[in-house]
Amino acid sequence: RRWSFATDKMKLAEDKDEVAPNSAPLKEVYLFANEGENHTNNVKQLEAMKKAMEDASAPAEAAKIKKMLEGFKIPAAGEDFSVQLPRKLIDDLKATAGGIAAQKEGKSDSELDEMWWKQAGELVAGYYKQREEVEK
């Protein structure tokens, strides 16, 4: 029933030339290297994610994401770690990162970071909003 609802919703959006977020629940385990510069980047990314979820302009779904991040810490340098994440969401985030990288000419790092966090936040919020709607 849920699959049918989600498929119908995506078809309706497609008929209107809109894009409906795909909320496929399939999760995969992602392994993160965590030594040297990777550790520093992992810590920065987690802190930036938490900060983005606290921003006043963050979507309503940010509170749920923030709650999921509570208590999560990057392990000590040298200790790789894994996280189970929705595959569709990760695929979309990778595509977004590639699109932003393609636009980097003439933009500062801070402009690129701002673009990334804005678009990533919208993707994550859209994914979880759609998941919630499908699971009702």
Side-chain angles (χ1 to χ4, degrees):
R1 188 184 118 211
R2 292 176 184 165
W3 179 82
S4 179
F5 169 78
T7 305
D8 289 346
K9 188 167 183 166
M10 287 170 44
K11 236 179 168 9
L12 284 172
E14 194 176 282
D15 290 344
K16 296 178 187 176
D17 287 331
E18 297 174 356
V19 177
N22 184 334
S23 61
L26 177 67
K27 291 187 176 185
E28 288 188 352
V29 175
Y30 292 87
L31 180 64
F32 292 85
N34 195 36
E35 50 188 69
E37 190 175 327
N38 285 329
H39 175 73
T40 304
N41 289 335
N42 291 337
V43 171
K44 283 181 184 178
Q45 290 292 331
L46 180 61
E47 291 308 313
M49 231 184 301
K50 288 179 178 179
K51 184 179 175 188
M53 296 302 117
E54 292 171 356
D55 190 88
S57 66
E61 290 77 15
K64 291 179 185 175
I65 298 164
K66 183 181 174 196
K67 188 172 182 171
M68 289 179 355
L69 293 174
E70 283 178 7
F72 182 79
K73 295 185 182 200
I74 302 296
E79 294 179 36
D80 293 347
F81 63 98
S82 62
V83 180
Q84 192 175 28
L85 300 166
R87 184 173 79 183
K88 175 61 180 154
L89 179 58
I90 297 304
D91 289 346
D92 289 348
L93 289 169
K94 286 179 180 178
T96 298
I100 290 172
Q103 300 175 38
K104 71 181 181 180
E105 182 133 350
K107 292 188 172 66
S108 69
D109 286 347
S110 63
E111 287 174 312
L112 293 170
D113 282 350
E114 186 177 324
M115 286 172 62
W116 163 252
W117 286 110
K118 180 179 185 307
Q119 291 179 27
E122 289 170 1
L123 275 173
V124 171
Y127 175 85
Y128 284 104
K129 183 178 181 180
Q130 184 72 12
R131 288 282 325 130
E132 190 173 284
E133 193 172 312
V134 169
E135 291 176 359
K136 285 182 184 178

